[in-house]
Amino acid sequence: MGDTMGPFARSITGGKYASVMRCRNSGYTLTVITPGKETIGKGAIAGMKEIGRISGKPVRVFQADGDGPYTSGTMRNDLHANNVRPRYSSPYDHQQNGSAEVSIKTHIDDTAVLMFSSGLPTDLWSEGMTCAEFVRNHIPSQQRGDEWFSPFQLLSGRKAAFNPNRFTPFGAKVIVQEPLEQRKGAKNFGQKKAWRGIFVSYGDSFGYGGAYRIYDPENRGVRHVSMNFCAVDKMCFPYKEERAAPY
């Protein structure tokens, strides 16, 4: 099932809308950030394909409300092409799509807390949203018998859980070692071998397993960096301090 929230102020990656896809059986959620309302349908299809890839089983039913992007002819054709049967809520009856509605409220609340507590620029809201979602997807919260599993474990069927030592506070300071292939200038003792960044999300959400998403304040961009190249100070939150410079 799915639903969309927005428009928001444009994020650092150009997004204005966030479409939340939720698997009813496992509770796993996947958010697709899109730049405009006309791309919501394509984003939803991409999200369903990703959930199908993780589970090993294609999505066959997609429930949504009667919002335009989900009922358009293009969306219906795309669903038909992927052998997905659409199922829509009755007009103005949000309870029929209640699970997706609750997920949206949870995403908004989680993102607001992360942005406020970290002090980071508000155009990083999309990173905060995917960060909070990743944590919820990988924390054991679903009980099956005497055991607890994360939504990701239930969806994928994998027994191994995400290493809890890899969880990192949103907005924490990171010293990033620059790979040899990326270092600029002549090889001398003054060559820049590292840079300061801010942790904002997990690369797994974007297809980069074993990577963090690091905000580069100097270049005003977000980069995927291997966890092995990151030294995280989990007690230091540069933007939370009330001063002009981030360091």
Side-chain angles (χ1 to χ4, degrees):
M1 55 183 59
D3 207 347
T4 300
M5 46 188 159
F8 301 113
R10 193 172 299 279
S11 72
I12 194 171
T13 54
K16 293 187 69 175
Y17 291 85
S19 299
V20 180
M21 307 292 118
R22 179 181 174 86
C23 173
R24 177 177 291 177
N25 293 330
S26 65
Y28 183 90
T29 61
L30 189 149
T31 299
V32 180
I33 309 295
T34 54
K37 205 163 187 176
E38 68 281 356
T39 55
I40 289 176
K42 295 291 184 183
I45 295 293
M48 283 183 270
K49 287 182 177 180
E50 177 64 11
I51 289 177
R53 184 192 67 80
I54 295 173
S55 66
K57 301 176 182 178
V59 175
R60 289 305 183 204
V61 179
F62 175 65
Q63 180 172 335
D65 57 20
D67 197 11
Y70 297 125
T71 58
S72 67
T74 301
M75 180 65 173
R76 290 176 184 270
N77 291 336
D78 288 341
L79 290 172
H80 178 74
N82 288 276
N83 296 317
V84 179
R85 179 168 63 88
R87 186 166 61 190
Y88 300 110
S89 305
S90 300
Y92 307 107
D93 189 351
H94 300 291
Q95 297 299 324
Q96 292 185 4
N97 201 31
S99 184
E101 297 285 348
V102 171
S103 294
I104 280 186
K105 186 179 185 306
T106 300
H107 276 60
I108 291 176
D109 290 346
D110 287 349
T111 305
V113 168
L114 290 181
M115 298 308 300
F116 178 79
S117 61
S118 67
L120 284 170
T122 55
D123 61 355
L124 286 166
W125 64 263
S126 59
E127 303 297 328
M129 189 171 290
T130 57
C131 178
E133 178 181 75
F134 182 89
V135 173
R136 284 188 177 274
N137 280 336
H138 289 82
I139 287 181
S141 58
Q142 308 282 337
Q143 188 174 12
R144 298 292 187 272
D146 296 329
E147 296 185 76
W148 288 84
F149 299 91
S150 69
F152 178 80
Q153 288 176 294
L154 293 178
L155 180 66
S156 65
R158 301 177 189 175
K159 292 185 177 180
F162 183 78
N163 185 351
N165 294 324
R166 295 291 194 178
F167 284 124
T168 302
F170 183 78
K173 178 180 178 180
V174 182
I175 301 298
V176 180
Q177 178 186 356
E178 195 74 83
L180 290 172
E181 297 81 0
Q182 295 294 318
R183 295 178 186 176
K184 299 178 181 180
K187 295 183 178 180
N188 55 55
F189 292 103
Q191 185 184 45
K192 186 177 180 179
K193 299 180 180 179
W195 53 277
R196 294 173 176 175
I198 305 293
F199 169 83
V200 289
S201 193
Y202 298 86
D204 300 68
S205 301
F206 299 84
Y208 290 83
Y212 288 141
R213 281 175 67 82
I214 306 298
Y215 172 58
D216 182 354
E218 184 176 343
N219 297 307
R220 285 284 295 156
V222 179
R223 298 169 57 179
H224 285 106
V225 180
S226 170
M227 295 178 179
N228 297 324
F229 295 161
C230 296
V232 182
D233 186 346
K234 296 184 179 181
M235 300 299 291
C236 180
F237 300 88
Y239 277 84
K240 191 175 182 179
E241 300 178 15
E242 295 182 359
R243 56 184 180 182
Y247 294 98

